[in-house]
Amino acid sequence: MMTINQTQDEIIEEFEGMTDWMDRYAYIIDLGNTLPEFPDNLKTPDNLIEGCQSRVWIDAKEDSDGKLLFEADSDALIVKGIVALLLRVLSDHTPDEILDADLYFIDKIGLKEHLSPTRSNGLVSMVKQIHNYALAYKARQAAKG
């Protein structure tokens, strides 16, 4: 299993090969299409991300090793790809690893500067929700043991 920073570096490398933003957007959309099917029963108000222009749902589960596994979906193609990038970086890590992560890949691939203000706010909201899940699971783990 790669570390969060190793995964970020891998993503940065993938994007360095694409200089045209249309190619990058196409790649982001392709990434979104690789997300597993998100069950309709998880498309609840609790999993809906506030602050996103499009609808985005993120759900978290804890595996037997105490790592968080995220699932997500969006009704917008580019947003679905962005959330796929976030999950690729943060899923399958412990709450502490997620909370300690510096998500530098977002700036390094130029994502922030190429998003509309509303999409940029949505990205911040997605990261915040993932952090909230990590905090909740960390508290749950501390209470258990």
Side-chain angles (χ1 to χ4, degrees):
M1 182 74 214
M2 293 202 306
T3 67
I4 286 175
N5 286 352
Q6 287 170 328
T7 304
Q8 291 190 90
D9 293 341
E10 185 179 82
I11 291 169
I12 292 165
E13 223 172 90
E14 290 166 11
F15 275 81
E16 281 173 351
M18 295 174 267
T19 51
D20 179 18
W21 261 94
M22 292 318 290
D23 292 341
R24 288 179 177 207
Y25 283 132
Y27 183 63
I28 290 170
I29 290 168
D30 286 346
L31 288 173
N33 290 331
T34 67
L35 282 177
E37 190 69 31
F38 192 79
D40 282 339
N41 67 319
L42 292 179
K43 291 183 178 178
T44 64
D46 285 347
N47 289 338
L48 192 63
I49 305 301
E50 294 292 323
C52 285
Q53 184 179 2
S54 48
R55 297 192 310 164
V56 180
W57 299 270
I58 299 177
D59 186 51
K61 291 176 180 51
E62 184 180 15
D63 73 7
S64 57
D65 296 330
K67 294 180 177 178
L68 299 188
L69 306 171
F70 295 100
E71 292 181 279
D73 196 11
S74 174
D75 58 5
L77 292 174
I78 288 178
V79 175
K80 191 171 179 173
I82 292 168
V83 80
L85 281 171
L86 285 175
L87 299 196
R88 181 170 155 193
V89 170
L90 296 171
S91 199
D92 205 17
H93 289 283
T94 66
D96 281 333
E97 289 171 333
I98 293 165
L99 293 168
D100 293 342
D102 169 23
L103 297 179
Y104 58 84
F105 83 97
I106 295 167
D107 287 330
K108 291 263 195 205
I109 65 174
L111 192 55
K112 225 177 215 162
E113 67 203 49
H114 284 87
L115 292 178
S116 66
T118 50
R119 282 217 172 109
S120 214
N121 290 342
L123 174 59
V124 170
S125 297
M126 288 184 256
V127 171
K128 190 185 292 182
Q129 181 59 45
I130 289 170
H131 275 191
N132 287 342
Y133 277 126
L135 285 168
Y137 278 98
K138 181 178 179 168
R140 189 180 296 174
Q141 288 171 358
K144 276 188 208 168

